Amino acid sequence: MIEKEDSIISEEEAAQYDRQIRLWGLDAQKRLRGSRVLLVGLRGLGAEVAKNLILAGVKGLTMLDHELVTEESCRAQFLIPVNNQGQNRAQASLERAQYLNPMVEVKADTDRVETKPDEFFLQFEAVCLTGCSRDLMVRVDQLCFQHNIKLFCGDVFGYHGYMFSDLGQEHNYVEEKPKVVKPKTEESNDGPEAKKTKIDPNETTMIKKTACFCSLKLALEVDWTNEKAKSSLKHTPHFSTTQSIVFSPFVPLFVPTVLLKFRTDKGRDPHPESFEADAMLLRQIRDDVLEAMGLSSDLLPHDFVSYCFSEMAPVCAVVGGVLGQEVVKALSQRDAPHKNFFFFDGMKGSGVVDYFGPK
Amino acid sequence: MVTLQLVGSLRKELADSLSTCRVLVVGAGGIGCELLKNVVLTGFKNIEVIDLDIIDVSNLNRQFLFQKKHVGKSKAQVAKESVLQFCPTANITAYHDSIMNPDYNVEFFRNFMLVMNALDNRVARNHVNRMCLAADIPLIESGTAGYLGQVTVIKKGLTECYECQPKPTQKTFPGCTIRNTPSEPIHCIVWAKYLFNQLFGEEDADQEVSPDTSCVLWDGDIKRVSTKDWARSTGYDPVKLFNKLFKDDIQYLLTMDKLWKKRKAPLPLDWLEFVILSGCVIACPQGVTGTGLKDQQVLGVGGYCQLFSRSVETLHSVLADKGDGAELVWDKDDPPAMDFVTAAANLRMYIFSMNMKSRFDIKSMAGNIIPAIATTNAVIAGLIVLEALKILSGDVEQCRTIFLNKQPNPRKKLLVPCALDPPSANCYVCASKPEVTVKLNVHKTLVLALQDKILKEKFGMVAPDVQIEDGKGTILISSEEGETEANNCKFLSDFAIRNGSRLQVDDFLQDYTLLVNVIHCENLEKDVEFEVVGDAPDKAPTPTRSQEEGKNIANGNKESSEPSTSSEGVQVNLTLMTFSLWL
């Protein structure tokens, strides 16, 4: 439970956070200020999320990454100054991350996340995993679920990206709605309605709500072959040929599924330097997944694999923006969270929210 | 399988063209910082960025290239330096300047493969729109407000230009609502800002604060002294000022009893009653807690009486220090100016039976503040670059208008791409021979008003030249300073302009020619100086709920292109929480 720590907000905070307090309110800002977040992975997407959370004014952000800065990292990420090759990525990002907002406690941790004991995670209100294997994400999610820690995952693969959130069995939040102005009655005994005090049309009221989330494990245990799901017409079209538009709820999961399988098999993401070999493996995995999903391969652009390499900076910005805002919403307990996946296709500019998991 | 060469995520040909082309980023604020970062990381090498503004502490929650130590410095300059920290090989030119400066002519724009706007006001957007049309360079437009955002692409001949669709103008209120019968807090706030100008700033005939007798048939005494003169005559005595504005003037309004037949009558205030007799220095605040922001407290009436008095004294002494003929300019970030408006507006709200508001809320309304966060700007800036890549790949037909919503729509879309519309045939900017018809009274419209209110304000020109199509090519207005100054205070009819006359208007900087047809009209609505035929009548736009058809486009919290740190216009920011919007 995120407490509103000290009730006082300093002049400095009020001045710096003015424009966001005007949007989400002082209460939300205080809850953010009481929250500690763990961010795993400081590549392109991680850097975006770090920036967004630090600017939002969380209490602390721990950036965890065991990888070293490579030449490619310099191009990929704006927190790492040049000439930091060979340094740990989290460490190299620390200074510029801290500069973003001195009021946040920013830390760098160079360990492998797999080696962290369970207790390590318990110090955080939210955990955000990027660049992690599917198994690791499932494991950390189980742990977070048990301890009421908000869990987020996200990745960017070339032009594509996704994020997942698990806010626990019962996530409580508020929504601000305009106050309903009662319809004007006919002349009452008191005299014409107009003579009464005017109700400010901008007045709002807070409504309490609850959302339920499922674990990542359950979310990914979709039954591809379920006839009902395959023929569902309620979902948005994602791929289109010139003749027809195909409806399938699983299409947006396609790219993350293929790429996460690649990551598990190879222990890394596809790399432009090994384009030929990686593309071949991607196509193999693609065929397997398509078959399992019951989709035909002519639905995809035949060179789709070439759009999955590396992390595109603008795609990191989009996914990192949505993901960052979901973390802010969850910590501040304000506004309806997206349930439970967000998929972004940078080729089309489409971003959809969809739910996978038990009903 | 054909071998594909990738540089990062991009095909080699695209990566190569990125590293050689030049791009212009207009604005280095909320969207601009995010955009510069994306542009550089994506591989663009030759970037020019322009912004006239300096850094303010309220920018720091999202304009992440700036730190506290940079407050007061040029946004463009600091943004460039910050970017070079993580990408020293980027070739960035920064201009601390206004894009509307004539130095940035069509030739300047032609240097770029594409232009990306990161602006926050309509005037500059209109201008860049025209420059890009003139130079035939693709323009990527964008805007954000709170959680919402929008990106689109403008390409001459292929898509709508920024001005193809009429945009709702900022809401203004009739004089008698402000002066006689306010019914909403915003009316009182506008009144308070007018009052500031009348007392301390530039007096404006359109910003009267005293009771308006012209809107009611009234035989009473209509001879009244100017507010400033009156204030001077009393030495800006706060108590006298208070009693005039909040007691005497209100009592005067009460005598206009027609106004109060169906409306609740105002209650005059008396200084003695509220400050001295009430006893306490600051009367009990309404609903204060120790945990709120100081500014979010709502004081009692007594408190605002005190605040009024203090701020009048402070402002008067600042004005006096400046010497003869000095004028103050209202600025939301100037504490006594903000105090003054807070106090005056609240006192008026009290008088007219409205719930008073905190300084925090009044500042939002008076200062046209649009709440802003980093993440919305980050998403929009990402989308801008993706559109840019499509353009550079030669895939302009893949470009889209994309809306960012707060919640997914019924089809689960949070980001909604929509096809771009073709140019509007009647657009008075991008049509091949733009023409427009204006209704006005030729005997009452000054040449100066034509220039400032119609050509500059309404039609977005910066330096218009006007020729009358009278067979003699009479020059009515010249953009060269001083040349036609003598014409300014003459009426159009003095130049034989009448019903059916045609004016050829050129703006050479924007490479824009507009033919204006004049229709003489003697019965325009009250307070209306001119009307553009074919325009939707000015009214507050109703919020649209569907962005697919929604072309409802609002345009910025500022009517002028002044930097955010300077004072803003009096016009009110629309409540902009609609799905599709431009700011």
Side-chain angles (χ1 to χ4, degrees), chain B residues 85-156:
Chain B
Q85 300 271 308
F86 61 88
C87 193
T89 53
N91 173 19
I92 306 176
T93 310
Y95 303 93
H96 181 196
D97 205 348
S98 164
I99 192 62
M100 297 176 57
N101 181 328
D103 290 349
Y104 310 111
N105 55 13
V106 177
E107 281 315 304
F108 172 80
F109 277 81
R110 284 214 183 98
N111 284 324
F112 304 103
M113 266 304 266
L114 83 107
V115 175
M116 293 173 274
N117 270 351
L119 290 165
D120 62 359
N121 71 87
R122 195 193 325 183
V123 170
R125 284 192 168 107
N126 286 346
H127 182 72
V128 175
N129 178 50
R130 293 173 191 196
M131 300 309 288
C132 290
L133 288 170
D136 198 3
I137 304 289
L139 169 63
I140 306 180
E141 248 299 3
S142 62
T144 59
Y147 300 113
L148 307 179
Q150 191 171 351
V151 177
T152 195
V153 173
I154 295 170
K155 174 88 176 75
K156 178 174 175 172

Side-chain angles (χ1 to χ4, degrees), chain A residues 7 9 20 22 30 48 51 75 96 195 197 200 235-236 303 306-307 309 325 336 351 353-354, chain B residues 4 9 11 34 37 41 61 85 262 264 291 293 353 357 360 364 372 375 407 411-412 414-415:
Chain A
S7 325
I9 214 147
Q20 61 201 39
R22 288 179 193 277
K30 287 179 178 173
E48 288 286 340
K51 158 183 60 81
R75 240 193 343 237
R96 284 179 63 82
K195 288 212 166 188
T197 311
D200 187 348
H235 299 268
T236 24
D303 57 353
S306 61
Y307 297 113
F309 278 74
Q325 196 53 35
V353 172
D354 212 343
Chain B
L4 190 70
S9 315
R11 305 182 127 109
E34 294 283 341
K37 174 249 303 162
L41 290 179
N61 79 320
Q85 300 271 308
K262 289 193 179 164
K264 185 156 195 223
T291 58
L293 287 177
S353 306
K357 292 204 164 286
F360 187 80
S364 263
T375 53
Q407 289 294 327
R411 294 159 88 203
K412 306 191 180 193
L414 187 68
L415 288 170

Side-chain angles (χ1 to χ4, degrees), chain B residues 488-508:
Chain B
N488 283 348
C489 41
K490 298 199 179 140
F491 295 108
L492 297 185
S493 51
D494 294 338
F495 295 89
I497 295 173
R498 54 175 195 268
N499 192 44
S501 293
R502 281 151 72 87
L503 306 172
Q504 182 183 311
V505 188
D506 289 289
D507 186 315
F508 287 112

Side-chain angles (χ1 to χ4, degrees), chain A residues 6-163:
Chain A
D6 14 293
S7 325
I8 320 215
I9 214 147
S10 69
E11 292 286 316
E12 190 188 359
E13 286 167 302
Q16 183 166 316
Y17 298 141
D18 184 83
R19 298 301 191 263
Q20 61 201 39
I21 290 174
R22 288 179 193 277
L23 185 63
W24 55 52
L26 189 59
D27 214 69
Q29 190 61 49
K30 287 179 178 173
R31 285 174 201 270
L32 280 171
R33 207 185 41 169
S35 310
R36 291 184 189 280
V37 183
L38 171 66
L39 172 65
V40 176
L42 265 303
R43 287 194 295 166
L45 178 60
E48 288 286 340
V49 176
K51 158 183 60 81
N52 293 336
L53 295 180
I54 293 169
L55 290 175
V58 294
K59 184 175 173 71
L61 180 75
T62 299
M63 306 188 300
L64 191 150
D65 197 329
H66 65 278
E67 303 269 17
L68 302 181
V69 175
T70 64
E71 203 222 316
E72 201 206 344
S73 310
C74 285
R75 240 193 343 237
Q77 211 247 51
F78 58 91
L79 292 176
I80 298 177
V82 282
N83 302 326
N84 274 356
Q85 258 124 282
Q87 245 210 334
N88 170 276
R89 235 169 16 201
Q91 201 62 47
S93 307
L94 182 59
E95 192 180 35
R96 284 179 63 82
Q98 185 67 82
Y99 282 155
L100 291 172
N101 187 352
M103 299 193 279
V104 176
E105 292 167 27
V106 185
K107 296 185 195 159
D109 189 320
T110 60
D111 292 339
R112 277 185 166 275
V113 57
E114 293 90 332
T115 65
K116 290 296 198 190
D118 288 2
E119 302 80 66
F120 170 75
F121 297 91
L122 303 187
Q123 60 181 298
F124 303 105
E125 273 74 42
V127 170
C128 183
L129 306 173
T130 72
C132 295
S133 74
R134 180 176 162 145
D135 289 342
L136 178 62
M137 291 197 278
V138 167
R139 206 195 90 205
V140 175
D141 174 56
Q142 302 278 49
L143 180 63
C144 290
F145 196 82
Q146 279 160 34
H147 294 275
N148 217 20
I149 298 171
K150 313 295 180 190
L151 182 285
F152 303 87
C153 313
D155 280 300
V156 169
F157 306 111
Y159 279 78
H160 298 268
Y162 79 92
M163 68 146 281

